[in-house]
Amino acid sequence: MLLTLGGVFVPAQEERPWWYTMEQGKLFFRQGDYGSALLSFEDARRQRYDRYAGMERDFINFLSMPEVRPIGDSLTTLESYVRERNHAGVEDVLRELFYRVSREQLRDSALVALEELGKFKDYPEAEYWIGETYRVEGELGLALGQYQKALALNARLEDPNFELDLLYKVADIYRTRQEFKQMEETLLTIVEGSNVRGEPWDPLWSGNMGSSGRFARDSMARILENSGPVRFLVMYRYNNGPVERAHRLLGLYYYASNRYNRATEHLMFAFLIQNSVLIEETQRSHYDYVFESLDTLLDTLERRDDLARFIERVEYYRCAYYLGSVLYGIGRAASARELWTFLSGRERIGAWQSRALAQLQRPLVDSSQDMRGLY
């Protein structure tokens, strides 16, 4: 009997592969059946382990055969031997290896192939989904352990960029539990770190650009502080959406802990990324658009539902308000007033308009953003 999942035929229940069990678990999760979801994710983890442990055992047994041992370590020679002698089970093992690992990575070595095969037993995506199930059921400690287990297996992730999502999940749990030092360290890992391929998530911030990166950031800060946010956005673009939230949370955290210089840098990056996205989206629909002011930019975009949702998701007005507050805190009152003036003229943004008006009348370092506002 054959069943379908997403248009793909799969065997009946007793023969279902691990990936089918995983997708079934996700379906249960979306339906709110978390007990069944957890069982499915745990089954998927076990099924995958059993499958690759069996392959590993079969390959070891093959390499241990008296007639095979003299062949040596050459994977190419062993592959030819397998085809000639019709070792169907070992052919399946090699087929799976070559599907998941390039021949270059295997270096024509049976020992390297065996090592890579052993890695397939781990299933970081299943660890993540088990953690997600714990999280929605309020078991934050168990969820954190699962996320960290998945992060420890980051080299096995099918999507290397998924590591960034895992780090945000870890940071969110620390934020909820008010473990702010650990939250800070996790968010700094995002803006300063790299994926498993060695590619920095935030090349302009991380040390990968060396002194030129530091010089660029200092130049950006000088323009923002001395010439104001509009001039700053005329001169710079940085569309790196995946790290925006890390900079925003770090900026708010440093502001709440009275570290205004560090807060300025991170809120500057968050605000720059947010506006780079908005400006580029405007240019896609208005080919002759040239950024001149925040008011004209937002007047155009707030009529688009997708960008209105983006503005809400990235806490655009909150970020702008506290960027103004932190600029005031480091003595850059003119640039702060430019941001508050922009916010004071925006209708339908609620408290951020009234707070900006209050700042224009009687500016101060607003202490209402405290640690409680981070969770």
Side-chain angles (χ1 to χ4, degrees), residues 5 16-30 36-48 123-130 133 158 162:
L5 181 69
R16 287 175 184 171
W18 51 266
W19 59 262
Y20 180 87
T21 306
M22 170 63 78
E23 293 304 316
Q24 192 175 49
K26 292 178 186 177
L27 180 61
F28 286 135
F29 186 91
R30 289 192 294 269
S36 297
L38 182 59
L39 289 174
S40 293
F41 297 142
E42 290 174 339
D43 283 346
R45 179 176 61 183
R46 176 187 51 77
Q47 287 173 334
R48 174 159 171 155
Y123 198 2
E125 287 81 4
E127 306 294 356
Y128 162 77
W129 279 104
I130 291 170
T133 308
E158 294 182 8
F162 187 58

Side-chain angles (χ1 to χ4, degrees), residues 7 38 113 125 157 162 166 179 235 239 242 244 301 354 361 365:
L38 182 59
E125 287 81 4
L157 288 168
F162 187 58
L166 282 167
E179 297 173 358
M235 294 189 63
N239 187 342
E244 180 275 331
L301 296 176
S354 58
Q361 294 168 7
V365 177

Side-chain angles (χ1 to χ4, degrees), residues 154-222:
N154 62 348
R156 322 280 199 272
L157 288 168
E158 294 182 8
D159 177 6
N161 293 320
F162 187 58
E163 183 180 358
L164 204 59
D165 296 328
L166 282 167
L167 286 167
Y168 275 120
K169 292 287 186 180
V170 169
D172 283 341
I173 288 183
Y174 285 137
R175 185 163 60 104
T176 300
R177 299 196 333 182
Q178 302 180 47
E179 297 173 358
F180 295 118
K181 183 62 179 175
Q182 293 90 331
M183 179 199 75
E184 176 193 9
E185 291 171 355
T186 306
L187 293 171
L188 286 174
T189 297
I190 292 174
V191 300
E192 296 174 355
S194 305
N195 64 23
V196 294
R197 295 190 295 257
E199 302 161 341
W201 288 306
D202 191 347
L204 190 55
W205 183 273
S206 68
N208 296 64
M209 292 184 65
S211 59
S212 63
R214 180 72 256 182
F215 177 79
R217 282 156 49 191
D218 290 344
S219 299
M220 292 162 64
R222 281 196 298 271

Side-chain angles (χ1 to χ4, degrees), residues 131-159:
E132 276 290 89
T133 308
Y134 285 139
R135 180 186 61 81
V136 298
E137 293 187 322
E139 299 287 351
L140 297 185
L142 293 174
L144 180 61
Q146 287 299 131
Y147 295 150
Q148 290 172 332
K149 189 180 293 185
L151 279 170
L153 301 171
N154 62 348
R156 322 280 199 272
L157 288 168
E158 294 182 8
D159 177 6

Side-chain angles (χ1 to χ4, degrees), residues 11-294:
Q13 184 170 358
E14 64 271 18
E15 301 174 8
R16 287 175 184 171
W18 51 266
W19 59 262
Y20 180 87
T21 306
M22 170 63 78
E23 293 304 316
Q24 192 175 49
K26 292 178 186 177
L27 180 61
F28 286 135
F29 186 91
R30 289 192 294 269
Q31 294 172 342
D33 186 354
Y34 301 122
S36 297
L38 182 59
L39 289 174
S40 293
F41 297 142
E42 290 174 339
D43 283 346
R45 179 176 61 183
R46 176 187 51 77
Q47 287 173 334
R48 174 159 171 155
Y49 183 92
D50 289 346
R51 171 175 171 78
Y52 288 110
M55 286 189 167
E56 183 182 42
R57 184 172 57 252
D58 290 344
F59 197 43
I60 291 173
N61 289 339
F62 169 72
L63 295 175
S64 302
M65 293 170 61
E67 63 270 30
V68 174
R69 285 201 301 269
I71 296 176
D73 190 50
S74 171
L75 199 56
T76 302
T77 306
L78 286 167
E79 186 181 9
S80 299
Y81 180 88
V82 167
R83 283 198 302 266
E84 291 170 3
R85 300 302 176 92
N86 195 26
H87 285 279
V90 181
E91 274 195 281
D92 290 341
V93 171
L94 293 175
R95 190 178 302 113
E96 184 74 7
L97 267 170
F98 297 143
Y99 172 74
R100 295 192 171 275
V101 185
S102 70
R103 288 178 180 266
E104 290 76 16
Q105 287 177 273
L106 295 173
R107 304 198 301 273
D108 195 33
S109 168
L111 291 177
V112 173
L114 185 60
E115 181 182 350
E116 290 296 323
L117 190 62
K119 295 176 182 178
F120 299 155
K121 293 182 291 187
D122 297 320
Y123 198 2
E125 287 81 4
E127 306 294 356
Y128 162 77
W129 279 104
I130 291 170
E132 276 290 89
T133 308
Y134 285 139
R135 180 186 61 81
V136 298
E137 293 187 322
E139 299 287 351
L140 297 185
L142 293 174
L144 180 61
Q146 287 299 131
Y147 295 150
Q148 290 172 332
K149 189 180 293 185
L151 279 170
L153 301 171
N154 62 348
R156 322 280 199 272
L157 288 168
E158 294 182 8
D159 177 6
N161 293 320
F162 187 58
E163 183 180 358
L164 204 59
D165 296 328
L166 282 167
L167 286 167
Y168 275 120
K169 292 287 186 180
V170 169
D172 283 341
I173 288 183
Y174 285 137
R175 185 163 60 104
T176 300
R177 299 196 333 182
Q178 302 180 47
E179 297 173 358
F180 295 118
K181 183 62 179 175
Q182 293 90 331
M183 179 199 75
E184 176 193 9
E185 291 171 355
T186 306
L187 293 171
L188 286 174
T189 297
I190 292 174
V191 300
E192 296 174 355
S194 305
N195 64 23
V196 294
R197 295 190 295 257
E199 302 161 341
W201 288 306
D202 191 347
L204 190 55
W205 183 273
S206 68
N208 296 64
M209 292 184 65
S211 59
S212 63
R214 180 72 256 182
F215 177 79
R217 282 156 49 191
D218 290 344
S219 299
M220 292 162 64
R222 281 196 298 271
I223 295 296
L224 173 64
E225 294 168 10
N226 298 326
S227 303
V230 171
R231 180 61 179 166
F232 170 69
L233 293 173
V234 167
M235 294 189 63
Y236 296 106
R237 297 284 186 278
Y238 188 48
N239 187 342
N240 188 351
V243 300
E244 180 275 331
R245 186 165 175 258
H247 282 297
R248 174 164 35 97
L249 289 175
L250 282 167
L252 294 173
Y253 169 66
Y254 289 135
Y255 183 85
S257 52
N258 302 319
R259 286 176 280 181
Y260 299 137
N261 286 318
R262 297 195 72 176
T264 301
E265 286 190 316
H266 288 287
L267 288 174
M268 173 185 75
F269 261 60
F271 194 64
L272 175 60
I273 293 168
Q274 292 171 4
N275 283 283
S276 294
V277 171
L278 297 175
I279 290 168
E280 290 177 19
E281 283 297 319
T282 304
Q283 290 172 334
R284 287 191 182 93
S285 54
H286 302 80
Y287 71 93
D288 57 347
Y289 172 79
V290 177
F291 173 78
E292 294 178 342
S293 77
L294 289 167

